[in-house]
Structures are given as C-alpha cells and as structure tokens.
Amino acid sequence: MATATVEGMPMQEAAPTPGPTPEAEPAQEPEPTLEWDWTGNVPLPHFSFFLNQYLPLYHVKKIQSASLETEIHEQLATLVKTADKSCELIGDVFEGWALPPVVVGKLEDSPRVHLMLVYNDMVCGDKEDDQHYFATVNTKDINSGYLRLITAEEGRFTAKYKDVIYISAKKMSEYCLQPAGVGGASSSEGPADLKTILSKQVVAFPHPKWPKKAEGWAKRERISGWPNQDTIKKIMSAGCHVVPWSHPQSKTKEIDWQYSFAVAERILMQSLTDIQRQCLMLLKIMYYESLSFPRILTPEHIKVLFLWECENIPQADWTDESLPSILLCLVDRILHAVIYGEIPHYFLGNTNVIDHIHEEFIFDLMPRISNVRQNPLQKLLDFSRLHTFPFWPRNTSWTQLIEPILADIESQQDDLQKGFINAILPASQTIAKCHIDEGRFEEGVETYRDLSQRFKDVLSRDIGSVLSNLTSVALSIEDLDISVGFHEYLAKTFSDDSRIASLKGNLGCMYHAKYHEVTTDEEKQQMATKTEATFQEAIASPGSSIATRTDYANFLCQTGKYEDAIPQLLQIIEGRKSQPSAGNMYTKEEYKTVDENIQREIDAHKQISAPSYVYSYYLLIACYVALGQAEDAKETLKEFEEAAYSLKDDAGYSLLGYSFVRTENYKSATTAFAKAVEINPKNELAMENELTNTALAMSLEDG
C-alpha cells in the first residue's frame, strides 16, 4: 500500500534544531495556561471537548420535527374534521430540545409529545376588552398565573361557586379526542404513536389578546437582544391559550384554569441557536441523572431558568469555548433559585412557578444540585453508565474513552498546550477509532473535524488536514469490510479534497484484497473491474503519487496482466526523481495481494517497506520473466542492482536477491542477501535466503 508522506497527528513536540546561541534572545511570551473551573474541578477546554463528543453539535443540528409533525397531523385529520377544533403539537420534541432516544436504559417523559386540543369557538378574554367572549377571565382570589372563566349561563360545561357560574375545568377536560381505533405510526425522529399522544392531550381555549399580566414581558430590557422585536411581535399577535390546570395547592381545582404560553414557547425555542439547544439538552441530562427523583423540579422549570438566562447572555457569547462556563452558570442559577425558593414565570414575571414546593423538599434538593455543580463531568459519566445514545460507542465506556483527560485533570497541571497534546489529542483518537470500528463513520469524521478546529482556535496550530489524518486511521482498521466501508465513506465525503488521490489509491488496495476473498468467477470479475477502475481514478487525480501507481501495477501483476503492468512500472522508474520519498508498505492486511516472496517477508517482519521505484524494479523483472523476455529481465536487473547498491537498504537488497532467484542467478542472489544481512544483522530471513542460495549456487557448480 502507498506510504507517500502525509500530514500526521502531533504526538510530541519536535526537538529544537542545534545552532549558535544568539547574543540577546527576545523576550518570550508566557505559555498559555489552562482555564479551570475550580468549583467543578475541571479545566474548561477539556470539559468543552468532552461535552461536544458526549452530545455532538452536529447531532443537535439534525433534530428536526417537521416530518413528524406532518405525520401526526395527517392522522389527526381523521379525528378533527370541523373548523371549531384544531390541534397544537407541543412538548420538547417540537421545541427542538428533546434528548435522542436511548438504546440502553430508560428516561421518564422524554422525549415528550403533547397535544393541545383547541376549541376555536370558545374564545376567552378580559372583560375590559369590550368584546363578546365565550367566557371572561377573572384572576381575583386565585394564585398568580391562574384564572377562572366566568360565563353568563349555566350549561353542561359549567359549575357554580359562590353564586358565580364558571366554566368547569374538570368537565371540559373530559372533552378530548378519543384514541379508540386509532393506529400508530413509526418515525425515526421521535414518538409518533398517536394513541400515546392522545393520552397526553389537554383541552385549550384561545385567548387571542395578549394578557395584561404578561405585558411586562414585551417591554422589559434584554441584555442579549433575544428575542428580537420581530419575534416578540409575532408571539404577541398570536395571543395565548387557557388550559384546565390548577395550582398544586388550590382548593378550587374544578374551576381553576391556567394561562398557557406553549405556542409562544415553541416559537422562542425554535429561534435558539444550535449551541443554545445543545446547552439545554446537556442540562437536561444532568437533571435526569441527579434531580429527577423525587420529582420536585421538572424539565419545564429548567427550561424557564434557561430562557431567562438567554436574555442575559449576549448571542455572540454562545460559543463552543463558552459552553462549559454557561452550562455551569445555569447549574448555579438552579441552585440559587432553589435556595431562595423562587423561579419567576418567564412570561408572567411576578409569578413564582415553584411557590408550592415544601421547605423540606428544598432542603433535599440543595445538596444534590451542589453535588452536580461540584462534579459536573462525573455526573455525565454516571448517566452514561445506565443510558446509551445511538451515536455513542457501544463497546467502550466514556470513562475509558476519556482516560487521558481524567488523568490530566488528576495531575492539575496548568499548561494549555500539554493539556491538548497529552489529553485531548489521544482521547480524540480513541473516540474516533471506536466510532469507526463500530461502523459509525460520520461520528469518527466529526471527531477529527472537532479536534482540528480546537487546535486552530485554542492553540493556533494546524495538525494537518482532516482527510490525511483519517486516512491514517483507515489504514489501521483490521476488519477489511469496515476498512473498505470507511474508505468509501471518506472518498464520498471528501470528494473535492486535493488529497483524494492517495485515499482512492488506498481504496484500490482494499478492493484488491477483497478480490482475493471472493470465491466465484463472477464475483472475482466484478471486483477486478472495480479495483482497476478505482486505481485508474486515483492515478488520474491531481497529486497522485507513484506509490499509488506501484500498487496499481502490483494488482495487474497479481491478476496476470503483465503486459498492462510493464508501462506503469517503466513510468514509475523513469519518474522516481520527482518523488524520491514515495514508498510502499505491505502488511498482513495485504498478505493475499502480494506474491510468495513478499508474503515470506511479512511472515518474518510483519511488514515490508521499500521505495516505490525499488519495488517497481522487482515487479518489472517478474513481468519479463513471466512473459519469457529474458533479455529485458537481464537488462533491468543491472539497473536494479545499481539502484539497490546506491540505496543501501536491507529490504531493497532482499528484493534484488529475489529477482536474481527468478532468473536462476543464485550466486548474485547470495551476494544480494549477504548485503541485506550486512546492513541488518538481525534479518534472519535474509540469512536463511543467503544460505539457501549459496547451496543452490554450489550445487549448480558441482553439477
């Protein structure tokens, strides 16, 4: 396989070049130091890297609910056939912050898809609006954020309380869509079982005018500029809804209703950036790990605090680098809210959404939240022990994957560069390799993209092209089918990359190996055609190496196309000066793609590596011998001998020796193998070859 020079990962710093000491050295800037969050005992660059591997941003970007929404609405259309009713799909799935489905473990209420059944002809509003409403809102003598609906006449939906006729929340709740006879649908994007959705529905009345109690939301100052004025106007023009929910401590639950801003929240959540949603989803994972039982706080409480924080943090500050700090700040906000027993309603600022939580539960929550704040990384690792997302490595735990990071944290060193080289780099390589070995090629590629970008952003260093580094990883994969699949994925993903020629050459070698695995003549013909086409694409690509052309010639030789191989080999030999460093290496993975001499070298040394032009001489002589062109073989041997003696490489001398054996010149073969032993006294195979050919030469002389 080609081993032309490629950009590699920086495993260690290069040693300084010796030279004279200057008279006066310029002052050097101090090495950048690691920024730590000492409360959580974690360096922020390390935590940032881990967060984006644990819940990758590219997976957050993939979260789309449009097709699921269409699917559900199509089913609902069979149940809601009149204009007096409509359906609003609400919940974290449609707001874009649902966690991915877990393949191991179970998460209660996540992802959540709820249905709001809106009775469009039952419009509510304030008495002061001077409009005719189905019911008017009354907020006297009731918990903040809640209301009662007064109507003039008694009916099947009403209930009397203190001589006033109210719309009964209890009775209206019974007028939901019935799931009987409803089928389910499947979707890869979330739960689309309509029976389940209908079991989580809530009746709602339109409240088309923006509530007076929420007017402060539109007017308050926002440091971040989010949401913008267009979004605010859009939300206010849509109004809100009222739903039959009562305060947990209410004594009049039958007639109590609540303002619902579910549609407004959906608009807001869909206006968030991907990093903001990533942050909220990570916060939710922490919640499920440490705070979900007993169920005192809910994900909705977490979302409210998050929305408040979005107003305080400028949009430009939501970056990959700042993600850990913001996430930890949000944990601080949760702790602060619990200590003071107050989370202000996002739209109704003077309403405390946790005013019902008993002091005893507050005392229970505080140490658990503090524990999350002091051990944020560990809490995410704890979650991963019981749950697995589809895009996580299946056979290796996160603790094992980030072992270099945990070791670096334990050392508490503060050198930023060392942290990247000793911790983030090897952890990236391990994570990427696990993904690729398990067939998740996209995850492996994105891990390297993330790594490359971090080196540029934080250390201002270039670690080489993503494709070059991934090509090195691809060559280390032992499973041939996975290696072929990953090469194909890279060829498609990086089709416009200037380094694609080398990758296609490697893919040709993979196909060549597959050629020797298939059994039927038809399969062999198909694979041979595919291999040759791939090699031809590779050598025709800009930047193609003579090492790739050598691999192509080797394929032609091994499939008996000697006449086709000769022009390729002559071109390599003639052009060797243009790429003197190009070389070919064959290992056990390519064992079946080489002849018996190279196989013996692999058996003895696990691999054989030589300059491309040296290997081309070896193949060219094999072609001439196979075609019976003895004179051409003899002339080529002279050139090869000069090249080998000039190179002074034991592998080169061994290839020369094998070439002399092909022409039955055992005396010269003995000399070549002796030179290989002289250069490398530990080359036992060369010693064996020397003795064998010495005996053959002597037997011929005696004969």
Side-chain angles (χ1 to χ4, degrees):
M1 186 171 291
T3 58
T5 303
V6 297
E7 300 151 277
M9 304 300 287
M11 297 307 296
Q12 60 185 21
E13 291 298 297
T17 304
T21 304
E23 293 183 4
E25 293 187 3
Q28 294 184 345
E29 293 185 6
E31 291 293 329
T33 57
L34 273 175
E35 184 180 356
W36 281 71
D37 177 83
W38 292 110
T39 302
N41 192 33
V42 61
L44 296 179
H46 294 49
F47 197 30
S48 172
F49 163 78
F50 171 72
L51 293 177
N52 208 41
Q53 295 303 315
Y54 191 86
L55 184 64
L57 191 60
Y58 63 91
H59 270 292
V60 174
K61 291 178 179 179
K62 284 182 178 180
I63 296 174
Q64 300 290 337
S65 60
S67 63
L68 174 61
E69 184 173 1
T70 301
E71 187 178 3
I72 295 174
H73 274 300
E74 287 175 353
Q75 296 178 71
L76 288 171
T78 63
L79 301 176
V80 182
K81 299 180 179 180
T82 57
D84 62 336
K85 299 186 190 72
S86 61
C87 297
E88 293 285 353
L89 296 174
I90 59 178
D92 55 7
V93 169
F94 300 105
E95 293 174 352
W97 61 295
L99 296 180
V102 294
V103 294
V104 175
K106 184 180 179 181
L107 289 180
E108 293 294 332
D109 296 331
S110 184
R112 293 173 300 118
V113 176
H114 293 172
L115 171 67
M116 189 159 68
L117 178 63
V118 182
Y119 281 80
N120 295 318
D121 56 349
M122 297 182 176
V123 180
C124 304
D126 295 329
K127 186 177 181 180
E128 295 80 8
D129 294 341
D130 196 24
Q131 293 188 27
H132 178 71
Y133 290 123
F134 169 73
T136 56
V137 170
N138 181 288
T139 58
K140 293 180 179 179
D141 301 323
I142 193 171
N143 298 89
S144 179
Y146 295 85
L147 55 105
R148 297 185 182 116
L149 296 175
I150 298 176
T151 187
E153 298 179 1
E154 291 189 62
R156 57 177 177 168
F157 305 130
T158 63
K160 243 184 177 183
Y161 178 69
K162 293 184 177 180
D163 296 327
V164 179
I165 303 172
Y166 296 99
I167 302 296
S168 169
K170 180 180 179 181
K171 292 178 181 178
M172 277 305 309
S173 296
E174 298 172 357
Y175 283 82
C176 295
L177 296 176
Q178 298 304 312
V182 175
S186 60
S187 172
S188 60
E189 299 179 75
D193 183 350
L194 194 55
K195 288 183 179 180
T196 302
I197 295 170
L198 292 177
S199 70
K200 297 180 179 180
Q201 63 181 302
V202 61
V203 168
F205 295 160
H207 191 295
K209 291 199 69 173
W210 192 249
K212 289 183 172 58
K213 289 183 175 293
E215 287 178 350
W217 172 80
K219 298 175 182 178
R220 66 180 177 235
E221 293 186 9
R222 296 172 168 87
I223 297 173
S224 68
W226 180 92
N228 60 38
Q229 286 301 311
D230 288 341
T231 302
I232 292 173
K233 289 178 182 178
K234 179 180 179 180
I235 287 173
M236 292 185 68
S237 64
C240 65
H241 295 85
V242 295
V243 293
W245 291 338
S246 60
H247 188 276
Q249 296 174 344
S250 171
K251 296 180 180 179
T252 55
K253 293 181 182 294
E254 182 180 354
I255 58 173
D256 287 0
W257 296 69
Q258 184 183 28
Y259 285 112
S260 171
F261 298 91
V263 175
E265 288 176 10
R266 179 172 173 178
I267 294 171
L268 284 171
M269 296 298 288
Q270 290 177 344
S271 73
L272 297 175
T273 66
D274 292 325
I275 287 183
Q276 286 174 317
R277 289 192 293 129
Q278 181 188 32
C279 182
L280 180 55
M281 291 163 72
L282 287 164
L283 194 64
K284 189 195 285 190
I285 291 174
M286 289 179 166
Y287 165 83
Y288 278 118
E289 171 54 34
S290 300
L291 306 177
S292 62
F293 185 81
R295 200 174 182 81
I296 303 168
L297 290 181
T298 70
E300 288 300 311
H301 294 141
I302 304 298
K303 182 178 75 172
V304 170
L305 285 169
F306 177 81
L307 291 174
W308 278 106
E309 206 59 27
C310 285
E311 293 194 2
N312 294 328
I313 301 174
Q315 291 289 85
D317 289 355
W318 289 88
T319 65
D320 179 80
E321 289 182 35
S322 66
L323 176 62
S325 298
I326 294 176
L327 179 63
L328 297 176
C329 173
L330 283 162
V331 178
D332 288 333
R333 292 289 184 269
I334 295 172
L335 180 58
H336 181 275
V338 169
I339 290 173
Y340 286 91
E342 181 178 11
I343 298 178
H345 192 289
Y346 179 67
F347 292 98
L348 307 170
N350 62 346
T351 299
N352 179 11
V353 298
I354 60 169
D355 62 356
H356 60 283
I357 298 179
H358 194 275
E359 188 178 74
E360 179 182 340
F361 294 120
I362 294 291
F363 287 141
D364 175 74
L365 269 175
M366 288 192 298
R368 288 195 282 139
I369 300 171
S370 294
N371 190 253
V372 173
R373 183 61 181 87
Q374 293 166 15
N375 303 279
L377 178 57
Q378 188 58 52
K379 291 303 175 184
L380 294 173
L381 292 176
D382 290 344
F383 178 88
S384 70
R385 291 191 178 97
L386 298 176
H387 309 87
T388 299
F389 292 130
F391 47 83
W392 281 0
R394 293 184 291 272
N395 301 321
T396 311
S397 71
W398 274 107
T399 302
Q400 293 172 296
L401 291 169
I402 65 165
E403 187 175 337
I405 287 179
L406 297 176
D408 201 50
I409 293 173
E410 186 70 24
S411 71
Q412 295 202 343
Q413 64 90 17
D414 62 356
D415 187 304
L416 180 62
Q417 184 162 283
K418 284 184 178 179
F420 266 73
I421 300 298
N422 298 335
I424 292 178
L425 173 59
S428 291
Q429 293 170 323
T430 300
I431 293 169
K433 187 66 164 53
C434 284
H435 281 313
I436 295 164
D437 284 343
E438 294 177 10
R440 288 185 305 280
F441 302 146
E442 180 184 13
E443 282 77 4
V445 169
E446 291 299 332
T447 297
Y448 267 87
R449 288 192 201 273
D450 178 75
L451 175 66
S452 179
Q453 195 61 49
R454 285 178 191 281
F455 266 84
K456 289 179 182 178
D457 293 345
V458 181
L459 295 183
S460 300
R461 289 184 56 178
D462 190 347
I463 60 173
S465 79
V466 173
L467 178 58
S468 294
N469 288 311
L470 286 168
T471 299
S472 299
V473 175
L475 295 176
S476 69
I477 300 172
E478 295 184 2
D479 187 293
L480 181 58
D481 289 331
I482 291 179
S483 183
V484 169
F486 188 48
H487 274 86
E488 290 174 337
Y489 180 83
L490 293 178
K492 182 178 180 180
T493 305
F494 296 91
S495 59
D496 296 330
D497 195 287
S498 61
R499 303 163 184 83
I500 195 66
S502 176
L503 176 73
K504 287 183 177 179
N506 292 339
L507 183 55
C509 292
M510 298 289 107
Y511 288 151
H512 185 186
K514 290 284 288 183
Y515 166 84
H516 291 281
E517 285 196 347
V518 296
T519 55
T520 68
D521 291 341
E522 183 180 359
E523 289 175 323
K524 280 191 173 296
Q525 182 57 47
Q526 291 175 348
M527 190 55 66
T529 302
K530 193 173 187 179
T531 303
E532 185 159 4
T534 303
F535 272 128
Q536 288 178 350
E537 279 184 28
I539 62 178
S541 300
S544 176
S545 166
I546 62 173
T548 297
R549 192 179 292 273
T550 305
D551 286 326
Y552 177 39
N554 176 62
F555 164 73
L556 294 173
C557 290
Q558 302 311 314
T559 52
K561 296 183 177 181
Y562 301 110
E563 292 180 348
D564 293 339
I566 290 173
Q568 301 293 335
L569 294 166
L570 289 172
Q571 186 172 339
I572 295 165
I573 293 168
E574 290 171 4
R576 66 182 184 181
K577 291 182 180 179
S578 63
Q579 297 183 29
S581 64
N584 292 77
M585 179 175 68
Y586 296 97
T587 63
K588 62 180 181 179
E589 282 74 25
E590 293 86 46
Y591 193 84
K592 293 181 180 180
T593 70
V594 293
D595 64 25
E596 65 278 3
N597 293 325
I598 307 303
Q599 288 177 351
R600 290 182 67 212
E601 292 290 327
I602 295 172
D603 288 337
H605 309 298
K606 296 184 179 180
Q607 67 177 45
I608 179 173
S609 179
S612 298
Y613 72 89
V614 170
Y615 194 64
S616 295
Y617 272 123
Y618 170 79
L619 291 175
L620 184 58
I621 292 164
C623 289
Y624 287 143
V625 171
L627 295 171
Q629 298 174 211
E631 285 301 315
D632 289 327
K634 186 177 179 180
E635 289 299 317
T636 303
L637 262 169
K638 290 180 182 178
E639 293 181 24
F640 189 9
E641 190 171 14
E642 290 178 7
Y645 274 74
S646 174
L647 181 65
K648 293 181 173 58
D649 174 73
D650 65 325
Y653 279 122
S654 289
L655 292 174
L656 177 63
Y658 291 128
S659 297
F660 277 123
V661 172
R662 284 190 195 278
T663 59
E664 299 183 354
N665 187 342
Y666 302 115
K667 187 174 181 179
S668 295
T670 300
T671 303
F673 287 123
K675 283 288 185 182
V677 175
E678 182 181 322
I679 292 173
N680 182 7
K682 295 182 179 180
N683 192 333
E684 295 181 1
L685 179 57
M687 293 180 195
E688 179 185 329
N689 288 333
E690 180 187 1
L691 292 172
T692 300
N693 282 277
T694 299
L696 287 170
M698 290 176 65
S699 66
L700 288 175
E701 289 176 1
D702 293 342

